[in-house]
Amino acid sequence: MRAPIGEFEHAAPAPDCLDELTRPVADAIRHWRGSVPAEQIVYVETDPRWADTAVFVEHYGRELLEQSANCVVVAGRRGGATKLAACVVLSTTRVDVNGVVRRQLDARKASFAPMEVATGETAMEYGGITPIGLPEDWPILVDSAVVDLPYVLVGSGRRRGKLLVPGKVFAELPRAVVLDGLGV
């Protein structure tokens, strides 16, 4: 199969590659109920040595720079309570943690979650966290620019491998909130 974006040697429908995914991501694909068939979510093999964005796009296709998204875990605090959420923004932007995120989570303070919290709570590898398969009670904040793309490259739950996902899928994820200006 040819990947819908990028130049990858191996691309296959994600349901055919469940063994390559972490358990929560594989479970989400296995039980997929979105309007886009799970077979349109594509798994591509990537080499973790080329994970740095500049090297990655040189190897797999320069157009991926404008078609990639990062999924980061944030923590919003108010009083003694902490609320975790995921933010999905284009890789050419950064998450507006102290503005949009803080207001959306109704938090007094918001920050990026520590690596051990992000990986422990998601059961995904740092650098490979994806919005597909996150804990069901987490809000998933998605920048509207991500939803507008035909396909978006995101993590697969592991550092080896990525998912190519139709942009509109992100708006259909459980507890997804599409926001203008999340990525600045």
Side-chain angles (χ1 to χ4, degrees), residues 15-65:
D16 296 345
C17 302
L18 298 178
D19 289 344
E20 301 298 326
L21 307 171
T22 59
R23 176 175 282 159
V25 179
D27 287 347
I29 297 291
R30 188 179 294 111
H31 303 294
W32 190 254
R33 294 187 308 263
S35 68
V36 173
E39 291 74 22
Q40 288 184 22
I41 299 171
V42 177
Y43 173 80
V44 293
E45 284 185 8
T46 61
D47 190 323
R49 293 178 299 166
W50 298 317
D52 176 70
T53 302
V55 177
F56 188 91
V57 298
E58 282 298 320
H59 190 77
Y60 294 111
R62 290 190 133 316
E63 74 278 7
L64 292 173
L65 185 61

Side-chain angles (χ1 to χ4, degrees), residues 126-170:
Y126 193 74
I129 294 174
T130 185
I132 297 173
L134 289 173
E136 289 183 19
D137 60 335
W138 283 21
I140 301 174
L141 311 180
V142 183
D143 189 273
S144 59
V146 173
V147 176
D148 292 340
L149 289 174
Y151 266 90
V152 180
L153 177 116
V154 293
S156 67
R158 292 200 164 118
R159 287 196 47 90
R160 173 179 292 281
K162 301 282 186 188
L163 294 176
L164 305 178
V165 182
K168 69 180 187 176
V169 163
F170 297 101

Side-chain angles (χ1 to χ4, degrees), residues 59-130:
H59 190 77
Y60 294 111
R62 290 190 133 316
E63 74 278 7
L64 292 173
L65 185 61
E66 303 295 326
Q67 299 170 326
S68 298
N70 293 324
C71 179
V72 297
V73 178
V74 295
R77 293 176 209 47
R78 180 172 284 284
T82 299
K83 182 179 195 176
L84 296 175
C87 297
V88 183
V89 299
L90 294 178
S91 61
T92 55
T93 66
R94 57 183 170 73
V95 176
D96 183 5
V97 175
N98 292 312
V100 175
V101 172
R102 186 180 56 75
R103 286 188 299 274
Q104 188 66 34
L105 297 180
D106 190 30
R108 184 173 307 272
K109 182 178 179 184
S111 60
F112 295 104
M115 180 176 65
E116 58 276 1
V117 171
T119 56
E121 295 291 325
T122 63
M124 298 180 200
E125 294 176 5
Y126 193 74
I129 294 174
T130 185

Side-chain angles (χ1 to χ4, degrees), residues 4-18:
I5 58 174
E7 300 298 324
F8 299 95
E9 290 180 27
H10 175 76
D16 296 345
C17 302
L18 298 178

